[in-house]
Amino acid sequence: LGVLAHSIDRRVEATSGLIASRRFWRKYNRMRRMRVDKRSISNMLIMYVWGLRRRHPWCSIFSRHHGDFINSAKRVLILQVLLFEMMTICALLLGTEQKIGPLPSALGSAMVAVAMSLPIPSVLNRIFARPLPELYFVPLLEEGAAATVFSSVLVVLAFLTGEVSEMGDGGGT
């Protein structure tokens, strides 16, 4: 799998190179713009295919966007790390019984496996993250719009925390 992915990368780099990279970052900006534009079924489908080609651990190895900075070799490495992680977690939980409240043992084991596997993809995202180059940066929101979103989030948080504090003292006097 790795050898095939590497040969695809070499062929793409030899034919496209910098032009493919520029096209990728322009497409990336278009996808960012679609997120804040008017929502529609066609935009949703385009974003779905974009995300599948860019983020799916299996499909993205061979269908990645040409010019993407995460090449197929890195994607194979990510897939191998995720598979190793799942095998390790299964080996750790094999033969154990997880009891979480009234939940059945199988569901408790599944919840523990999910909790144990969450940090690894986050770390991989941090390792392979790359900021958008300044050359291709297009601001999506005006300063006033960003402040409006931030203030709206603060209002919702204040409302939620206000509801929690008014619930009472748990039956005490």
Side-chain angles (χ1 to χ4, degrees), residues 11-64:
R11 185 173 38 96
V12 168
E13 287 174 9
T15 58
S16 301
L18 189 57
I19 296 168
S21 181
R22 286 185 183 141
R23 278 192 206 130
F24 168 75
W25 287 111
R26 292 193 191 286
K27 283 182 190 177
Y28 183 82
N29 265 334
R30 263 189 266 136
M31 293 302 122
R32 286 180 57 233
R33 171 79 66 195
M34 270 189 188
R35 271 205 223 139
V36 296
D37 283 347
K38 183 179 176 188
R39 294 178 183 224
S40 68
I41 296 294
S42 63
N43 283 356
M44 183 192 72
L45 292 175
I46 291 168
M47 298 270 310
Y48 176 75
V49 170
W50 172 267
L52 189 68
R53 288 183 65 191
R54 187 138 197 274
R55 296 207 165 125
H56 192 276
W58 294 91
C59 298
S60 67
I61 293 172
F62 299 107
S63 67
R64 75 177 182 89

Side-chain angles (χ1 to χ4, degrees), residues 8 20 31 66-67 86 98 110 121 127 141 153 165-166:
I8 291 171
M31 293 302 122
H66 299 304
M86 284 287 96
Q98 303 297 323
I127 290 172
L141 296 173
V153 169
S165 65
E166 292 177 4

